[in-house]
Amino acid sequence: MKVTINWLRRYVDISWTPEELRERLTMLGVEVESMRKLGGEFEGVVVAQVLTADKHPNADKLSVCRVNDGKTERQIVCGAKNFKPGDKVPLALPGCTMPTPPGTPPFTIKVGKLRGVESQGMMCSAQELGLSEDASGLLILPTDAIVGQSLAQHLGRVSGDVVYDLEITPNRPDLNSVIGIARELSALSGNPLKLPAVPERFEPAEAPSIATVAGQVAVRLEDPELCPRYTARMVRGVKVGPSPDWLKQDLEKVGIRSISNVVDVTNYVMLEIGQPLHAFDYHLLAVAPEAKTPVIVVRRAQEGEKFTTLDGKERSLTHDMLVIADETKPVALAGVMGGLNSEIKDTTQDVLIESACFKPQTIRLASKKLELRSDASYRYERGSDIDICDWASRRAAQLILETAGGQVASGVVDAYPKRHEPKQITLRYARTNQLLGLEIAPAQQREYLNRLELPLDGTPGESSFSVRIPAFRVDLKGEIDLVEEIARLYGVDRIPSRVPCAQPGTNPFDAVYDQIAEARRLLTGSGLMEIQGQTLLPQTAVAHLPSQLVPLQNPLSGDMNVLRPSLLPGLLEVLQRNVNQKQTDLALFEMGRVFTATGNAPREERRLGIALTGQRNPLFWSGGERDAKFDIHDLKGLLEEFFAHFGLRGLTFVRRPEPAGLYLESANISLGKQSLGEIGLANPMLAKKLDLRDSVVLAELNLDLLLARRNPAKSFKPLPQYPAIRRDVAMLVEETVTHEAVLNAVKQAKPSHLETVELFDVFRGKNIPSGQKSLAYAFTYRSLDKTLTDAEASAAHEKVVRQFKEQLKAVLREG
């Protein structure tokens, strides 16, 4: 949203400097992206006249021109094709710094050669000068432009006007207008808001046949939910032509190209009050055979219906789009763009003014599907003020009379089946002061809201008062929003900073937050780095996952059309991006929410995802593990360490017999009968597709279940005071025997004083029968209250060996 300081001053008296105004807008919550002083940005740009234009000797698409800048003739190399000798154009002289968008480096014109021919400046388009978005060719100036005059003087931009480029948040559609911004400044300064004097009604035209608009056109709403209000007003006998200078300059200052007086008025009113308008050529509206006057029909488009918009492109519509039509054809795509078949032309004499309110979701859907954005759709998508439709229509008719002449048919056709009922919100004085930490008097609180045109509803009480919310403030939904409005006008910068002082019972302990923070500390302490992925993903990225996807009805783009059902696609994307940047050794984790479709509503849960690839340890000049890569055992050990410190005991890893989903081989992680997640080796074909040169191991766990089932130790364990005794076992077992089965056998043996069990060797090969493997374990025995004897350790260890022989059919290896 662009606005000038002089335009704002028409509606509110402000004495602040441009810099002070920028600061006050920021403190009101309106971000000022840039501030540009007009006139100064055209320093070094003059009105010039093209004398000759010859073909460039070394380039087919360039021409070499002789140009008069008022003082001398210059040679200019140009690529535009829309000019001829005799035309007057803007010429940027050497040393001129061109206007650039915010964040773009300055661009200074220099004398240089283009394809071997010297160019002593640059003839400019409207886009290059920041006047509009038109980059189709040079800006051709009027024939009466004075050669040698500065462009700023020619455009009348020597008044010291300032253009502010504002970033308006989607919840404040009322600020997408000059009057909306002026209302904020009026409330802040205390100076009254001065709205234009618009006639409540227009005098009847002289000809009785056009005295009332109701006799000239009718309106039929076929779907009032999508179009709750539609007004039509007529101006007859207009003379379409160029706009007066004041109107043209106001529009061009904020980047709107002047088209004609009638069209410019609709754009001006849209910028002024925030209500998009459209003007139809009345005589291009078809009349049904049995009718005497046209009927405006607001209806859904037919599936596959063809319609050519004002930009000359034919578009195929769908049934969920809304069109403005006559009895035979569409004449506008509602809220987005008018049609070529009803546009205002130089020959237009009678104009029908549309001022309507449309459902924001319908306009956004049509705009996104057709990839067609306009200033009107931008405003309608955020919500328009249903109560302002008639005022905007009268304002447009008033300005058309001033700029194009004609007569306004009396009355208006106003299709408004269900009147808007203002919402009421009750505000408690004490609640305001409690939340802000201030003492603002009740009368002052009411005064602040009155300044914002939020009127009191009834007589205020001793402890509270009720506020009637106008239609233009769609963001005000509850009491807290009114408190925010008071804070903005009081001044956020005036609210004192204090150290929070918690009182018992006022700030409940957030156990979940602290537990997640502890999990994060343990994972980073294990050498993992945390990432934060996107919640929205392209459907193609998760097509291989078995989960039921949750699609978005109105996605922002094809790359963000489903909610993620898993953290693993995001982790894999980060691995790919880092490996492409030569960062190949990665140990990452993410904690976040995922969504899966279950019945009528999606299920949301927290998960923990981990991904490892590349070198296990950093490369050093020496060491036996220079080429050791992450494998499934590294990840399993990391998880076991995490579980132990996080307070989860008794987890089991059950291997799956077949590949599944992302995994070539994987295991389910369970606690009792409850599945907590899975761990596995990513399918090598998937890793290759992502250009990951090393194997990738992944794990994903239900973090909500981890938090619910954890039982952290609550007491300190002292360091052991007595020595330990170690016993080793090397045994032959069937290939199918897992480490988990060995640990289960140890648990069932229940050896006394057993402290740790460690697998330190797995061997297959020479002297090992086919279908078997050798496992070597170290057992540590220790007593907490005395020194163990060899006999006591051996007795405990014998229980373990006996259990291995009976349960696992193990054969002990000697030596």
Side-chain angles (χ1 to χ4, degrees):
M1 171 67 188
K2 291 183 179 179
V3 62
T4 68
I5 192 171
N6 286 345
W7 201 346
L8 287 170
R9 284 171 174 162
R10 296 175 200 169
Y11 309 112
V12 60
D13 293 327
I14 49 177
S15 58
W16 304 312
T17 66
E19 291 75 18
E20 289 173 337
L21 176 57
R22 176 178 59 187
E23 178 65 22
R24 281 163 172 77
L25 286 170
T26 301
M27 296 310 296
L28 282 171
V30 181
E31 180 183 353
V32 181
E33 287 196 329
S34 66
M35 183 184 79
R36 179 165 53 94
K37 294 184 179 180
L38 296 179
E41 79 272 35
F42 297 131
E43 186 175 353
V45 183
V46 299
V47 176
Q49 187 170 30
V50 180
L51 303 177
T52 64
D54 301 317
K55 185 178 179 298
H56 194 292
N58 303 319
D60 294 336
K61 296 184 178 181
L62 298 178
S63 57
V64 181
C65 306
R66 301 295 300 176
V67 178
N68 177 18
D69 67 4
K71 294 181 180 180
T72 184
E73 290 186 11
R74 293 178 178 273
Q75 178 173 279
I76 307 294
V77 178
C78 183
K81 300 296 183 185
N82 68 322
F83 68 97
K84 62 184 182 301
D87 283 343
K88 295 177 180 179
V89 297
L91 174 65
L93 302 175
C96 168
T97 299
M98 299 297 294
T100 55
T104 305
F107 171 56
T108 302
I109 303 297
K110 299 178 181 179
V111 176
K113 291 186 177 182
L114 293 175
R115 301 296 293 271
V117 176
E118 185 176 78
S119 182
Q120 300 166 340
M122 183 179 77
M123 296 188 290
C124 304
S125 69
Q127 184 189 55
E128 289 166 332
L129 294 168
L131 293 173
S132 74
E133 299 302 319
D134 185 7
S136 59
L138 299 182
L139 175 61
I140 307 301
L141 301 176
T143 55
D144 60 356
I146 302 173
V147 176
Q149 185 182 43
S150 71
L151 182 65
Q153 287 180 317
H154 170 75
L155 296 176
R157 295 197 175 187
V158 292
S159 60
D161 208 353
V162 178
V163 177
Y164 297 90
D165 192 353
L166 309 178
E167 178 66 30
I168 306 300
T169 56
N171 69 321
R172 291 298 304 272
D174 59 301
L175 298 184
N176 284 309
S177 66
V178 182
I179 289 177
I181 300 296
R183 183 186 293 114
E184 295 282 299
L185 299 177
S186 169
L188 182 64
S189 65
N191 298 328
L193 181 67
K194 299 179 294 184
L195 294 179
V198 177
E200 287 291 334
R201 63 182 64 191
F202 293 89
E203 294 297 325
E206 293 179 2
S209 61
I210 62 169
T212 61
V213 67
Q216 308 301 308
V217 68
V219 174
R220 184 169 76 244
L221 302 182
E222 293 191 352
D223 196 334
E225 181 184 355
L226 303 187
C227 178
R229 188 179 188 185
Y230 190 100
T231 67
R233 181 171 263 108
M234 281 190 60
V235 184
R236 307 200 70 167
V238 303
K239 185 177 181 180
V240 177
S243 294
D245 288 343
W246 71 266
L247 177 56
K248 186 183 300 183
Q249 290 174 13
D250 277 350
L251 294 177
E252 289 179 346
K253 285 177 182 179
V254 294
I256 303 293
R257 179 171 60 92
S258 175
I259 298 174
S260 68
N261 45 12
V262 173
V263 176
D264 287 356
V265 163
T266 61
N267 286 330
Y268 180 89
V269 175
M270 176 185 67
L271 295 173
E272 181 183 50
I273 195 61
Q275 170 63 35
L277 303 172
H278 189 68
F280 298 101
D281 187 323
Y282 174 73
H283 293 289
L284 295 179
L285 302 175
V287 181
E290 68 279 4
K292 295 181 179 180
T293 59
V295 177
I296 294 293
V297 183
V298 185
R299 61 171 173 83
R300 289 179 180 269
Q302 300 171 8
E303 194 67 33
E305 187 171 15
K306 303 297 182 182
F307 178 63
T308 302
T309 46
L310 282 172
D311 56 5
K313 296 181 180 179
E314 184 180 72
R315 304 178 188 275
S316 180
L317 309 182
T318 59
H319 187 61
D320 47 16
M321 298 176 185
L322 195 68
V323 296
I324 311 301
D326 56 27
E327 294 283 15
T328 63
K329 64 185 182 300
V331 293
L333 182 60
V336 182
M337 188 174 285
L340 201 62
N341 56 7
S342 61
E343 70 172 329
I344 300 296
K345 301 177 181 177
D346 293 343
T347 56
T348 298
Q349 294 183 346
D350 299 335
V351 174
L352 181 71
I353 303 171
E354 168 195 286
S355 179
C357 180
F358 302 112
K359 186 177 180 180
Q361 294 87 338
T362 303
I363 306 305
R364 178 169 178 78
L365 183 145
S367 177
K368 291 296 293 182
K369 277 191 175 181
L370 298 176
E371 297 182 353
L372 180 61
R373 299 298 302 275
S374 65
D375 289 320
S377 68
Y378 171 81
R379 286 166 172 80
Y380 275 128
E381 287 173 14
R382 285 154 176 78
S384 60
D385 180 0
I386 195 170
D387 288 343
I388 205 68
C389 291
D390 183 59
W391 189 95
S393 176
R394 287 186 281 119
R395 175 64 167 160
Q398 176 191 42
L399 293 177
I400 288 176
L401 289 181
E402 292 180 13
T403 60
Q407 295 177 321
V408 180
S410 64
V412 62
V413 178
D414 190 353
Y416 195 4
K418 186 177 180 181
R419 295 279 168 174
H420 169 258
E421 292 295 333
K423 181 179 180 179
Q424 295 182 2
I425 299 176
T426 299
L427 177 64
R428 295 164 290 174
Y429 305 120
R431 183 61 173 161
T432 300
N433 293 332
Q434 178 188 23
L435 288 172
L436 299 182
L438 300 169
E439 287 296 330
I440 302 178
Q444 187 64 60
Q445 293 187 36
R446 298 195 298 269
E447 170 66 15
Y448 283 145
L449 297 181
N450 270 321
R451 288 187 194 176
L452 290 166
E453 297 187 4
L454 304 177
L456 272 64
D457 191 73
T459 304
E462 294 183 1
S463 61
S464 66
F465 63 100
S466 184
V467 179
R468 189 167 62 254
I469 307 301
F472 63 83
R473 288 305 301 269
V474 298
D475 60 309
L476 301 180
K477 303 182 185 302
E479 182 183 36
I480 187 65
D481 298 315
L482 297 181
V483 174
E484 181 182 352
E485 295 303 293
I486 292 172
R488 290 196 306 120
L489 292 192
Y490 178 84
V492 177
D493 54 330
R494 293 174 57 196
I495 298 177
S497 299
R498 297 190 181 99
V499 177
C501 183
Q503 298 177 359
T506 59
N507 293 308
F509 178 69
D510 190 345
V512 172
Y513 176 86
D514 284 353
Q515 290 181 73
I516 291 176
E518 183 180 356
R520 180 178 290 111
R521 178 182 62 80
L522 292 172
L523 292 166
T524 53
S526 297
L528 303 181
M529 296 183 66
E530 185 176 13
I531 69 159
Q532 189 68 49
Q534 292 285 344
T535 303
L536 299 177
L537 297 175
Q539 187 168 352
T540 53
V542 293
H544 51 278
L545 294 176
S547 302
Q548 294 293 322
L549 301 180
V550 180
L552 271 66
Q553 290 186 354
N554 298 303
L556 295 173
S557 69
D559 292 336
M560 306 174 75
N561 58 0
V562 297
L563 292 169
R564 62 181 178 187
S566 167
L567 300 179
L568 298 183
L571 283 163
L572 289 170
E573 181 186 357
V574 174
L575 291 182
Q576 180 188 29
R577 190 182 309 125
N578 278 270
V579 169
N580 289 340
Q581 299 298 321
K582 310 303 180 185
Q583 300 295 323
T584 58
D585 306 326
L586 300 161
L588 309 175
F589 79 95
E590 179 179 6
M591 289 185 287
R593 299 182 184 273
V594 302
F595 307 83
T596 51
T598 54
N600 295 328
R603 183 179 66 188
E604 177 182 345
E605 64 184 37
R606 294 186 187 92
R607 287 192 187 173
L608 164 63
I610 300 177
L612 309 178
T613 188
Q615 294 281 348
R616 178 184 297 125
N617 296 310
L619 291 176
F620 289 97
W621 67 272
S622 65
E625 294 191 348
R626 288 177 56 83
D627 296 323
K629 307 287 187 180
F630 282 119
D631 59 23
I632 194 69
H633 303 294
D634 293 303
L635 183 51
K636 182 172 180 289
L638 187 149
L639 285 176
E640 289 174 336
E641 187 76 8
F642 169 73
F643 293 149
H645 289 285
F646 198 57
L648 290 159
R649 300 172 184 82
L651 285 92
T652 58
F653 294 77
V654 181
R655 184 173 180 175
R656 291 198 181 99
E658 300 292 338
L662 294 171
Y663 300 109
L664 177 65
E665 54 180 344
S666 60
N668 185 63
I669 306 174
S670 302
L671 183 58
K673 295 182 179 181
Q674 195 168 39
S675 175
L676 299 184
E678 58 187 354
I679 179 175
L681 173 67
N683 193 310
M685 297 300 294
L686 175 63
K688 184 177 180 181
K689 183 179 179 181
L690 297 175
D691 297 325
L692 302 175
R693 68 183 193 183
D694 296 320
S695 60
V696 179
V697 287
L698 304 167
E700 187 170 29
L701 301 110
N702 187 320
L703 186 55
D704 288 327
L705 289 179
L706 295 183
L707 298 176
R709 297 296 300 271
R710 70 185 299 241
N711 184 23
K714 298 181 180 179
S715 59
F716 171 72
K717 266 181 131 180
L719 294 174
Q721 300 181 23
Y722 301 97
I725 297 178
R726 171 171 166 165
R727 293 286 189 268
D728 292 349
V729 171
M731 56 186 175
L732 292 176
V733 295
E734 295 295 327
E735 186 67 50
T736 57
V737 174
T738 64
H739 176 65
E740 195 73 33
V742 174
L743 295 181
N744 285 334
V746 173
K747 290 178 183 177
Q748 293 180 22
K750 298 180 180 179
S752 56
H753 307 302
L754 179 62
E755 186 177 70
T756 61
V757 181
E758 181 182 359
L759 174 67
F760 64 86
D761 185 51
V762 180
F763 180 71
R764 301 175 181 87
K766 188 177 179 181
N767 299 328
I768 302 298
S770 177
Q772 293 188 328
K773 60 185 175 184
S774 173
L775 301 179
Y777 285 87
F779 294 81
T780 302
Y781 297 91
R782 189 196 309 269
S783 173
L784 299 179
D785 50 15
K786 66 175 183 176
T787 300
L788 282 182
T789 65
D790 282 342
E792 290 171 326
S794 297
H797 189 62
E798 184 58 35
K799 290 182 181 181
V800 176
V801 173
R802 190 181 310 117
Q803 190 70 24
F804 286 164
K805 291 178 180 179
E806 294 175 359
Q807 185 171 332
L808 305 179
K809 309 303 181 187
V811 178
L812 267 61
R813 300 184 66 191
E814 301 296 332

